Amino acid sequence: MVSLEGPLLWGALLTLFLLSASILAALVRVLRGPSLADRVVALDLVAYLAMGFLMTYAILVGESTYIDAALVLGLLAFLGTVAVARYIERIRSGEGVVQ
Amino acid sequence: MIFSLVFRVAARLLVPVLLVFSVFMLLRGHNHPGGGFVGGLVAASAFVLYALAAGVHNAQTILRTDPRTLLGAGLAFAYGAGLLALATETAFLKGLWLDVHLPLLGDLHLGSTLLFDIGVMLVVVGTVLLMIFSVEDRLPGLVED
């Protein structure tokens, strides 16, 4: 159920296509990333791109529910990144060794 | 472990936003996506965020109660919603609806399903926080303050 027409429709479709390509590119970095930190940053990027995807899709189908999903994702996406950053920091400082 | 000042200030701003949003999720859950479970997860992640930013001990302080208390209260709420229906001689857990008119809020369409949803929310918050707090406590390098 698409509610847009004309150039706006093509713009939304192009945006969705470009965001999908960006998510794929970020996923390549997740798979290949030499270090753990690279993978974490790439996963963070995937989360924010998914947010943009959800917003564009909300405009495309005219459904406001997706905006709330994007809101939750935006509020919570960085939480996992912070947790892993703390984990990496602990490994570096040698505190991560279990007694 | 040294806690970042920037992150702690940001967490202090974000925690109220997340808690308000969790209530919004809880209340709209009856007719739209959302509900007690999702609302509970968002509320729990607000406290987890604070635990990451300022330590588990401080997060337990702003929670004010033990997560186990929340768990028990949630189960009591959900069970109470069921018993309420049983008391009016209908089936257990059947939704009861009450139309009231309040001076400031206008016409309200209150149901016992909301009570059940609040119970679900409290159980989810209690369970998630119980798990996260105990895991964070065990990890070496995460001190209490």
Side-chain angles (χ1 to χ4, degrees), chain A residues 62-81:
Chain A
E63 180 75 53
S64 65
T65 318
Y66 292 105
I67 297 178
D68 297 326
L71 197 60
V72 176
L73 201 57
L75 282 170
L76 296 179
F78 76 101
L79 200 58
T81 314

Side-chain angles (χ1 to χ4, degrees), chain A residues 63-65 68-69 71-72 75-76 78-80 82-83 86 89-90 93 95-99, chain B residues 1-3 7 14 17-18 21 24-25 28 33 42 45 48-49 51-53 139-142:
Chain A
E63 180 75 53
S64 65
T65 318
D68 297 326
L71 197 60
V72 176
L75 282 170
L76 296 179
F78 76 101
L79 200 58
V82 169
R86 160 148 304 176
E89 201 176 39
R90 210 150 52 201
S93 60
E95 284 178 276
V97 185
V98 181
Q99 297 100 331
Chain B
M1 167 87 33
I2 301 156
F3 293 104
F7 184 35
L14 269 173
V17 175
L18 281 169
F21 196 76
F24 165 71
M25 278 304 222
R28 68 173 268 169
V42 174
S45 53
V48 171
L49 175 71
L52 282 174
L139 288 178
L142 256 189

Side-chain angles (χ1 to χ4, degrees), chain B residues 17 47 62 72 75 82 90 104 107 113-114 118 122 128-129 134-135:
Chain B
V17 175
F47 288 106
I62 64 164
L75 281 177
T90 48
L104 280 176
D107 291 314
T113 45
L114 178 65
I118 292 175
L122 288 177
V128 171
L129 288 184
S134 50
V135 165

Side-chain angles (χ1 to χ4, degrees), chain A residues 78 82 86, chain B residues 1-16 49-55 58 145:
Chain A
F78 76 101
V82 169
R86 160 148 304 176
Chain B
M1 167 87 33
I2 301 156
F3 293 104
S4 148
L5 177 68
V6 175
F7 184 35
R8 204 195 294 200
V9 172
R12 204 167 284 175
L13 289 174
L14 269 173
V15 166
L49 175 71
Y50 200 74
L52 282 174
N58 283 332
D145 67 327

Side-chain angles (χ1 to χ4, degrees), chain A residues 8-22:
Chain A
L8 215 52
L9 172 67
W10 291 108
L13 289 178
L14 182 69
T15 311
L16 286 182
F17 174 74
L18 289 176
L19 283 172
S20 317
S22 314

